[in-house]
Amino acid sequence: MSQLAFTAFSLNGVDAQKFLQGQVTVHVERLPENESRYTAICDLKGRIHFGVWIKRLNPESFELVTTQDQAEEFSRHIKKFGAFSKMKLEEVGQVFPGFIGNHTEFSSTETDINAWQIQAIQSGQAWITQATEHLFQPQELRLHQREGVHFDKGCYLGQEIVARLWFKAKPKHWLHLIQGNDAVPAPATQLSKDVEVVNSIAFEDGYLALVIAKPTALEELHLTVLDLPEALNGDVARPQ
């Protein structure tokens, strides 16, 4: 597995907020200032194309962070869709993650990325890389339980499918935290037909992983299923 790294961008201009509102799953206008929030840009099938940490400095200035392996494609996407918007995307460079409270924040100060990965996985803060783009829906990733999806905002890429799944369907697969004793499975590995790895890291004599799974399929694999934090431990379906 290649070393995990992150790239930061700045997006500045009078159209920045309006543009992002039509791209990401979170309600951009409601974002608290100066706090990173993980959100998604979906494809037209309602699956996550890019995972993005978004920080709103003010309505005309945003910091955006993606995994380094998605950065080039992400930059092309923003420039393509934002070609007629009054704003400018600039790459800031490599940044490093750390936890402040329950949130991941980034800085130019080097941190222990392995330690961050363990903490992020244990707390259910799944992230998308190039290997896992176009595989998972935001609801499956529990993104709505992390305040990374709002179902009452206007149109964005894939919004019709994301909304339909929320209001009219119930997911069969969703995010779980597991511990195993074998070699670390790579992201996007299928442990069975109904269990797919999102993120993984070596831990003690085995590994920790966040997987999208059907609960009954996990029981058949003889893995240890661990509790996620309370906010992410419940049902992912819309309360009836």
Side-chain angles (χ1 to χ4, degrees):
M1 267 185 276
S2 59
Q3 178 65 37
L4 181 65
F6 301 91
T7 300
F9 296 87
S10 64
L11 185 70
N12 297 296
V14 292
D15 289 340
Q17 181 165 277
K18 181 182 175 185
F19 170 78
L20 288 171
Q21 182 74 349
Q23 289 283 316
V24 298
T25 55
V26 77
H27 200 306
V28 179
E29 295 163 13
R30 291 190 206 148
L31 287 173
E33 291 188 355
N34 299 306
E35 184 182 287
S36 286
R37 184 72 51 81
Y38 193 65
T39 186
I41 295 177
C42 292
D43 59 26
L44 295 177
K45 294 179 179 177
R47 297 178 183 274
I48 300 172
H49 187 176
F50 301 104
V52 186
W53 284 269
I54 181 171
K55 182 186 281 189
R56 179 179 182 260
L57 306 179
N58 61 61
E60 295 184 14
S61 186
F62 291 80
E63 288 179 6
L64 308 169
V65 177
T66 68
T67 54
Q68 201 170 75
D69 62 3
Q70 282 203 308
E72 190 178 329
E73 190 183 1
F74 172 75
S75 177
R76 286 200 304 268
H77 174 94
I78 297 298
K79 287 172 180 175
K80 173 187 171 185
F81 281 89
F84 300 106
S85 298
K86 294 176 181 174
M87 61 183 198
K88 186 174 184 183
L89 182 77
E90 291 186 293
E91 185 174 321
V92 176
Q94 187 172 1
V95 287
F96 300 90
F99 273 91
I100 296 179
N102 297 323
H103 288 283
T104 293
E105 297 288 351
F106 292 88
S107 73
S108 57
T109 305
E110 197 163 334
T111 58
D112 184 338
I113 295 206
N114 272 7
W116 175 84
Q117 286 184 82
I118 290 170
Q119 193 171 353
I121 288 171
Q122 287 174 327
S123 57
Q125 295 195 24
W127 65 94
I128 295 295
T129 63
Q130 194 172 54
T132 53
E133 61 186 41
H134 303 296
L135 293 181
F136 308 119
Q137 292 144 355
Q139 200 175 339
E140 292 178 329
L141 220 63
R142 298 186 184 269
L143 211 50
H144 57 304
Q145 295 172 337
R146 291 168 61 186
E147 300 179 86
V149 181
H150 289 117
F151 296 104
D152 60 347
K153 62 168 286 188
C155 292
Y156 56 86
L157 293 173
Q159 182 259 343
E160 286 183 13
I161 291 175
V162 172
R164 191 183 312 139
L165 288 167
W166 175 248
F167 289 108
K168 296 187 176 178
K170 186 173 181 179
K172 295 182 176 69
H173 305 76
W174 59 86
L175 193 74
H176 300 267
L177 170 62
I178 62 167
Q179 188 165 356
N181 299 317
D182 306 315
V184 183
T189 299
Q190 290 198 311
L191 300 181
S192 78
K193 181 166 119 2
D194 290 301
V195 181
E196 195 162 6
V197 177
V198 187
N199 308 115
S200 54
I201 187 81
F203 186 74
E204 294 177 351
D205 294 326
Y207 67 88
L208 288 172
L210 289 169
V211 296
I212 301 293
K214 188 185 284 188
T216 52
L218 287 174
E219 294 168 14
E220 297 162 8
L221 285 176
H222 307 295
L223 295 159
T224 304
V225 180
L226 304 173
D227 280 342
L228 289 165
E230 190 175 352
L232 303 183
N233 229 10
D235 198 331
V236 299
R238 182 172 69 96
Q240 297 301 313

